Amino acid sequence: MINYKRNNLVISVIIPVYNDPLGLNDTLKSIENQDFHKENYEIIVADNGSDDKTLDIANEYTEKYPEFVKLVIEDKIKSSYAARNKGIKVSTGDIIAFIDADMTVEKDWLKKIVESFKTNNADYMGYKVEIPLKDNSIFGLYNKITGFPIESYMNKFHFAPTCCLIVKRKVFDKFGLFDSRLISSGDLEFGTRVFRNGIIQHYNPEIIARHPSRSTLKQIIRKNFRIGRGSQQLAFFYPDNFIESKRSVFHFRHYLPSKPWTFCQGMNKNKLWNNLNLLAKIQLYLIHWGNKLAIQAGYIYEKTKIKYGNG
């Protein structure tokens, strides 16, 4: 057990969730068993209007640890960012760590977070996400190979996805919360916002969380459809800040597959890709094309929705 001063709450862990009782249970189990005194951190489950057994799991933990686990419900705004915002508002730690329901961490996760902030002068931090394969599905393999390139996101776009984001409370106090209007890319908007205001960002590959692979075509397509919707929302709400998010509905390049040689060139950095046979590589290429179409479909859907006043 790490010997931090008792009654000195250091860190708040916020878990947004919607209709995922099994995933929430896995996440709570891994965070419950941290090598970190329970009086020095809190867990906040931020439910976004679940209508299954998710709340039963959350209530089991709040009853078991009434001073340690909190449950907040955001059922008025359907947005994971709105749920996170509600969690932030009730949190009391100086450091706020976000992790998605269905992700798991090692016992030293919180220890490494706190120690990392002590050794660098950043106020915003991202960390590594590993994707273990649940089965031999080609879709799970695609998810693992394309993965979460967090370091690249931070270097190129100045944000960490909210599934692996840690922020000091003072950043939210000074620059505001997530934009709850966004269905996706709220982490991109927030990261860009604080970066432009001079907040120092840091990536720590030694802090690791595991995210189960999406192993069905439906899961992958739904994610990319949501990304497309978020891209249109960014273009609509932030036309000056995210010009690159604006895209033509009719331009053919959004419907054609990626150039095979550029696709393969990017993948060649991945050891898994290099060990695959030709058939598997063709299948992954086609999945990639499908994702591209799903993003465009999501963009068109949201553009139509906004245009006709239903957004």
Side-chain angles (χ1 to χ4, degrees), residues 22-282:
L22 296 178
L24 178 62
N25 190 55
D26 289 344
T27 305
L28 285 169
K29 274 186 178 179
S30 73
I31 300 175
E32 170 195 22
N33 294 319
Q34 289 292 295
D35 185 15
F36 203 85
H37 204 289
K38 283 185 172 57
E39 292 188 20
N40 296 139
Y41 73 108
E42 65 181 354
I43 299 174
I44 301 169
V45 177
D47 183 80
N48 199 205
S50 296
D51 55 10
D52 61 0
K53 295 184 178 180
T54 299
L55 291 179
D56 294 340
I57 298 297
N59 285 324
E60 284 180 19
Y61 280 83
T62 58
E63 291 171 8
K64 183 178 180 181
Y65 302 110
E67 302 298 324
F68 173 54
V69 181
K70 301 176 185 177
L71 169 64
V72 295
I73 298 175
E74 173 55 79
D75 54 6
K76 294 181 180 179
I77 305 174
K78 278 293 181 182
S79 161
S80 63
Y81 301 110
R84 292 182 183 97
N85 286 345
K86 195 147 191 177
I88 294 168
K89 290 175 183 177
V90 304
S91 65
T92 55
D94 293 328
I95 298 171
I96 300 176
F98 300 93
I99 187 170
D100 286 355
D102 75 0
M103 295 179 67
T104 56
V105 293
E106 296 296 331
K107 289 178 178 285
D108 60 356
W109 180 62
L110 289 178
K111 173 189 172 184
K112 286 184 175 180
I113 289 173
V114 173
E115 290 180 347
S116 184
F117 275 119
K118 286 181 178 179
T119 56
N120 68 74
N121 61 344
D123 292 327
Y124 176 110
M125 187 162 63
Y127 58 92
K128 186 176 181 180
V129 176
E130 294 181 345
I131 303 178
L133 285 172
K134 293 193 296 185
D135 51 39
N136 294 322
S137 150
I138 191 68
F139 306 110
L141 181 61
Y142 176 84
N143 189 201
K144 184 174 180 63
I145 287 178
T146 53
F148 287 93
I150 312 300
E151 187 173 15
S152 176
Y153 288 160
M154 296 194 70
N155 290 336
K156 294 180 180 179
F157 306 111
H158 313 298
F159 86 102
T162 38
C163 68
C164 57
L165 174 63
I166 314 153
V167 184
K168 289 186 179 177
R169 169 176 299 281
K170 62 183 181 180
V171 176
F172 289 112
D173 291 341
K174 188 171 183 179
F175 301 107
L177 306 178
F178 297 108
D179 187 338
S180 62
R181 297 173 298 180
L182 301 175
I183 192 170
S184 180
S185 299
D187 39 20
L188 170 60
E189 187 282 319
F190 179 75
T192 303
R193 188 198 322 161
V194 300
F195 177 79
R196 288 173 175 169
N197 280 282
I199 293 299
I200 297 174
Q201 299 179 333
H202 176 70
Y203 171 72
N204 189 333
E206 296 182 1
I207 302 172
I208 300 172
R210 294 179 297 276
H211 191 301
S213 62
R214 291 178 172 87
S215 56
T216 68
L217 179 61
K218 182 179 178 181
Q219 290 175 324
I220 293 176
I221 293 297
R222 284 181 63 182
K223 175 190 174 184
N224 285 278
F225 185 83
R226 188 172 67 249
I227 289 173
R229 291 186 63 188
S231 181
Q232 162 58 19
Q233 289 175 336
L234 280 181
F236 179 79
F237 292 121
Y238 301 95
D240 296 327
N241 293 343
F242 294 97
I243 298 173
E244 68 281 1
S245 292
K246 188 175 181 179
R247 56 169 64 198
S248 170
V249 170
F250 302 104
H251 200 294
F252 67 89
R253 69 185 178 91
H254 298 306
Y255 301 94
L256 295 178
S258 303
K259 297 175 181 176
W261 51 93
T262 58
F263 174 75
C264 295
Q265 184 178 20
M267 290 293 191
N268 279 338
K269 298 178 183 178
N270 193 299
K271 292 180 181 178
L272 278 175
W273 170 265
N274 291 329
N275 292 328
L276 295 175
N277 59 41
L278 180 59
L279 177 59
K281 289 181 178 180
I282 292 173

